[in-house]
Amino acid sequence: MKTFAQSAGYQAGKITNVERLGTSGGGGGTDTALKPETATYKISVQVDDTVYIVRYQAQGDQDLSWIQGKDVQVKIAGKKMYVKRVNGRDAKGSILSTSKAGTP
């Protein structure tokens, strides 16, 4: 029996690696409004026998290392991947590349 998430185009995936690339935004030396900090991550998500490398930007100074090894529900649409969050909303990332599982 399919769950609602699976019937809505989602499939099972697993986060296999999380790498923080850097942070942008934040303070500046002018009187203009400050941009919120944005942390950029490169996240590997395995779906069946394919590993997707996804760029994800998180608001604030979040540490996403705790999601490594987690099972997730994902939906792939073109060069975008949507990951179902616990609150029911999607986190959207850009797919940078794909490879077969087990190959570097």
Side-chain angles (χ1 to χ4, degrees), residues 30-70:
T30 67
D31 291 335
T32 59
L34 299 177
K35 288 184 177 180
E37 280 193 354
T38 302
T40 302
Y41 289 87
K42 185 167 75 171
I43 300 173
S44 301
V45 182
Q46 183 171 342
V47 179
D48 295 325
D49 63 347
T50 302
V51 176
Y52 295 85
I53 307 300
V54 179
R55 183 182 69 220
Y56 175 71
Q57 293 186 315
Q59 295 297 320
D61 195 22
Q62 296 180 28
D63 177 15
L64 296 182
S65 63
W66 65 273
I67 65 173
Q68 187 166 326
K70 297 286 185 187

